[in-house]
Amino acid sequence: MNLFITSGTADFLLKLKEKHQDENMVLMNNSESSILVHETEGQTLFNSPRKYKVIDSAGNLGHKGFAVLNNIPVTEEGRPLFEDRFLNRPRKIEKEPGFVAIRVLRPLSSNTYIILTIWDQESSFENWQKSKAYADAHKNRGTEAGIAGAKPTIFESTSFVSKYYIESE
């Protein structure tokens, strides 16, 4: 499965989505920007998308709610370790109240992986961050046992999070 992301004004992206209703596209907005996500087995309709391979997934994207994109720049040498850690994760997030979907995205034209999660509402995501399951999933963060403790480091630069709202169809 492939996933493509493009940016633009909310109005332009909504028109593009409506024009291609037979495609799996999700419009995401926040106070600063809008993105359109296209998940497909084939090629995208976008002119200049960010391109990703879906390497792990659960749930469906087309759901009203709250989307979190954790953008993680990884070195070329660090890709196998990074992917191994995500492919062998405990999968506790899928059992959290309000969880809708997850996509682990391998970049095809950059160094930045994206961990995309969708929640039924923002408070569900915040509750996940306060949960025991979250603490367990991140217990090695900042330690030598954690992925960030790998030597040499596998991270190209600091990760960052983008948050969006998904309106109902």
Side-chain angles (χ1 to χ4, degrees):
M1 183 68 66
N2 301 306
L3 191 136
F4 303 94
I5 301 173
T6 194
S7 304
T9 65
D11 289 340
F12 174 78
L13 296 176
L14 180 59
K15 287 176 186 169
L16 182 61
K17 181 179 187 275
E18 289 173 347
K19 183 178 176 182
H20 301 285
Q21 293 182 11
D22 56 327
E23 296 289 333
N24 185 14
M25 294 186 184
V26 180
L27 179 61
M28 302 180 183
N29 300 295
N30 65 28
S31 62
E32 299 170 4
S33 65
S34 297
I35 60 173
L36 188 58
V37 173
H38 181 204
E39 188 173 48
T40 178
E41 289 288 349
Q43 297 300 311
T44 189
L45 304 165
F46 302 157
N47 289 330
S48 300
R50 289 180 281 166
K51 303 172 185 179
Y52 301 90
K53 178 78 175 166
V54 177
I55 61 171
D56 190 21
S57 68
N60 296 314
L61 296 185
H63 188 284
K64 177 183 177 185
F66 184 69
V68 179
L69 287 79
N70 192 355
N71 301 269
I72 308 169
V74 177
T75 65
E76 189 67 35
E77 303 80 30
R79 285 177 171 232
L81 175 61
F82 182 83
E83 289 185 17
D84 181 68
R85 293 282 175 100
F86 269 95
L87 293 173
N88 293 299
R89 63 190 173 81
R91 303 191 181 280
K92 292 181 179 180
I93 193 171
E94 287 92 331
K95 296 174 181 76
E96 284 298 305
F99 171 84
V100 174
I102 185 170
R103 297 295 184 273
V104 179
L105 306 174
R106 175 193 297 142
L108 299 179
S109 54
S110 76
N111 69 338
T112 303
Y113 282 77
I114 294 179
I115 311 305
L116 166 63
T117 57
I118 298 181
W119 303 86
D120 63 353
Q121 55 192 345
E122 188 171 2
S123 62
S124 295
F125 169 71
E126 292 167 351
N127 290 339
W128 151 247
Q129 288 187 301
K130 298 172 191 169
S131 73
K132 182 176 181 341
Y134 181 90
D136 286 347
H138 297 89
K139 67 183 174 198
N140 291 328
R141 180 182 279 171
T143 71
E144 284 191 28
I147 197 167
K151 301 293 182 211
T153 183
I154 68 165
F155 298 110
E156 190 95 3
S157 58
T158 305
S159 65
F160 62 96
V161 173
S162 305
K163 299 176 182 177
Y164 295 92
Y165 295 93
I166 304 169
E167 300 302 320
S168 59
E169 295 296 313

